[in-house]
Amino acid sequence: MSKQKLALVAIVGVLALLVTSFAPAFLAAPQQAEASSHREAPLISQDPVADATDLYAFVSPDRPDTVSLITNWIPYQGTGGPNFFRFGDDVLYETHIDNVGDAQEHIVFQFTFKTLIVNPNTFLFTTGPVGMPSDTQLNVRQYMTVTRVDAPADGSCKNMPLSNCATATRNVLGKDIAVAPSNVGPASMPIYAATAAVSVADLGNGMLAFAGQRADSFFADIGSLFDLLTIRNPGVNNFAGYNVNTISMQVPIRMLTKDGSTPKDAAGAASVLGIWTTSSRRATTVLSAGATSSSGEWVQIERL
């Protein structure tokens, strides 16, 4: 590889870190930060349910007093059964907020999932047409719990994950929220848009949450990028036709800023947020016949 191409790789890497680290200033016109890794690291590529593909943060165009926080997981989801994609029941998915500028998490939104098999005597995802996520014909279903964790003012959680800090404040915002099912096809999901829309949950105080499969919105010519940086013109979107699992929230800006305000001045001390996402599992997992149990502190296995 030439020195010019190596320099280009280095610059792209630095820009990605900058974009990831600094979230949008709150202006009248929506500002946004976004970053992508997709299936980037050898180890996490073998663990897709914990693999974050994208992180997006922006002032919501439809509700400009809120911020949209979106994380995508499980890359390169194709179509076809009999098994369809779902979040990991043993994974802690988190979106972290630094509203002080000290590279410490001060607010964390946690997302955990559980899976219910309605009829364990069949492997089918659906056993008939599904209209609502609560229909008995939806055999494999997931439910999400959303929890907000705040760092204590006394600094006792400094330099440690809030997920493992006993003095952090925890508030369950929503429990057993139905996850939008995968779109099996027109026979199984005849009104899929309406089926998925039911999974948008009102958490109160202006907060909304959603989890479910969505089309991958990122564009990249991965095929040529990793073929010795043989950049094609025009590029080919290698993510077209693939899906990801999305976790999204809309949160009022005043609930995220350090002084509880909705800043109008981009240069103001409260106008910038640092945002990142992680996935974690318990430190110890025990496998036994027909059962799995986990215990211990949460250990981070992916960060974007």
Side-chain angles (χ1 to χ4, degrees):
M1 187 182 297
S2 68
K3 290 183 178 179
Q4 291 85 351
K5 287 187 176 180
L6 284 173
L8 175 62
V9 173
I11 293 171
V12 170
V14 171
L15 288 176
L17 287 173
L18 289 174
V19 171
T20 305
S21 300
F22 299 102
F26 299 122
L27 301 172
Q31 305 290 307
Q32 69 179 22
E34 58 186 59
S36 175
S37 68
H38 273 79
R39 194 170 174 264
E40 81 299 348
L43 288 178
I44 199 64
S45 69
Q46 303 301 309
D47 189 8
V49 296
D51 188 359
T53 69
D54 299 291
L55 165 67
Y56 302 96
F58 51 91
V59 175
S60 310
D62 58 328
R63 301 170 65 206
D65 61 335
T66 70
V67 170
S68 290
L69 305 171
I70 301 174
T71 60
N72 291 336
W73 306 84
I74 314 178
Y76 292 109
Q77 296 180 23
T79 58
N83 299 303
F84 295 86
F85 299 91
R86 59 182 191 246
F87 294 96
D89 289 357
D90 63 339
V91 179
L92 175 65
Y93 302 89
E94 295 183 292
T95 299
H96 307 259
I97 311 293
D98 171 18
N99 57 11
V100 176
D102 60 356
Q104 297 276 325
E105 54 188 9
H106 294 271
I107 302 170
V108 176
F109 292 101
Q110 297 181 332
F111 309 90
T112 56
F113 296 85
K114 65 179 181 181
T115 301
L116 172 66
I117 309 297
V118 177
N119 181 4
N121 296 318
T122 179
F123 63 87
L124 293 175
F125 190 81
T126 58
T127 57
V130 174
M132 295 294 103
S134 58
D135 288 354
T136 56
Q137 292 89 344
L138 180 60
N139 191 47
V140 181
R141 56 187 71 181
Q142 281 199 304
Y143 299 94
M144 175 176 68
T145 293
V146 182
T147 303
R148 173 171 169 152
V149 184
D150 289 86
D154 62 7
S156 56
C157 292
K158 190 174 182 179
N159 296 321
M160 67 180 301
L162 290 183
S163 57
N164 294 326
C165 183
T167 58
T169 302
R170 291 167 170 80
N171 181 25
V172 176
L173 304 177
K175 191 173 183 179
D176 293 337
I177 300 167
V179 174
S182 296
N183 189 356
V184 176
S188 295
M189 305 282 181
I191 53 169
Y192 182 73
T195 304
V198 174
S199 295
V200 178
D202 187 343
L203 304 180
N205 297 313
M207 293 181 289
L208 300 175
F210 170 87
Q213 191 183 61
R214 302 283 87 185
D216 194 333
S217 58
F218 204 79
F219 184 103
D221 190 348
I222 296 298
S224 66
L225 180 63
F226 290 100
D227 184 18
L228 301 178
L229 274 180
T230 309
I231 306 300
R232 290 180 283 204
N233 186 15
V236 176
N237 182 16
N238 292 130
F239 301 129
Y242 289 100
N243 298 320
V244 289
N245 273 26
T246 293
I247 301 172
S248 64
M249 285 191 71
Q250 279 192 338
V251 184
I253 294 170
R254 58 181 172 77
M255 291 186 177
L256 300 179
T257 54
K258 64 180 181 180
D259 59 1
S261 67
T262 304
K264 304 299 181 183
D265 178 14
S271 296
V272 177
L273 301 176
I275 301 173
W276 64 100
T277 188
T278 64
S279 60
S280 303
R281 283 195 179 93
R282 294 288 189 184
T284 302
T285 298
V286 177
L287 304 177
S288 57
T292 301
S293 61
S294 300
S295 61
E297 292 191 335
W298 292 104
V299 178
Q300 177 183 304
I301 53 178
E302 164 80 323
R303 176 187 176 105
L304 174 61

